[in-house]
Amino acid sequence: MPGPKPPKVTLTDIERQSLEKLVKARSTPQQYALRARIILLASNGKNNAEIAGHLHVSLDAARLWRQRWLDLQ
């Protein structure tokens, strides 16, 4: 039986562009780039397990950064 769906992440065009710019910049620390990738995947409708599998991070990491982004909104 599937668990509850994670909260939906909605990005404005400016937020999406900023996160994509962070991911692509060579000077971005990898921790920040990873967090940006998590948020971008979450905004594309991926659940935490899919994000964790795609980025090879723990489920807790995917859940944490989704929630931190939502807390900022």
Side-chain angles (χ1 to χ4, degrees):
M1 183 161 114
K5 289 187 176 185
K8 184 177 179 180
V9 173
T10 305
L11 299 176
T12 64
D13 289 338
I14 294 172
E15 289 171 333
R16 180 174 299 282
Q17 290 171 357
S18 297
L19 290 171
E20 288 173 351
K21 187 176 178 181
L22 270 176
V23 168
K24 293 176 184 176
R26 298 181 80 168
S27 61
T28 302
Q30 289 305 299
Q31 290 176 323
Y32 296 158
L34 177 62
R35 294 168 190 170
R37 285 184 190 99
I38 290 170
I39 300 307
L40 287 168
L41 287 172
S43 72
N44 288 336
K46 303 287 186 194
N47 65 36
N48 294 330
E50 291 170 325
I51 294 170
H54 182 75
L55 297 177
H56 306 290
V57 297
S58 70
L59 183 59
D60 287 338
R63 188 179 298 126
L64 171 75
W65 291 108
R66 177 192 295 265
Q67 190 57 52
R68 286 201 179 169
W69 178 266
L70 291 171
D71 288 347
L72 292 173
Q73 304 305 306

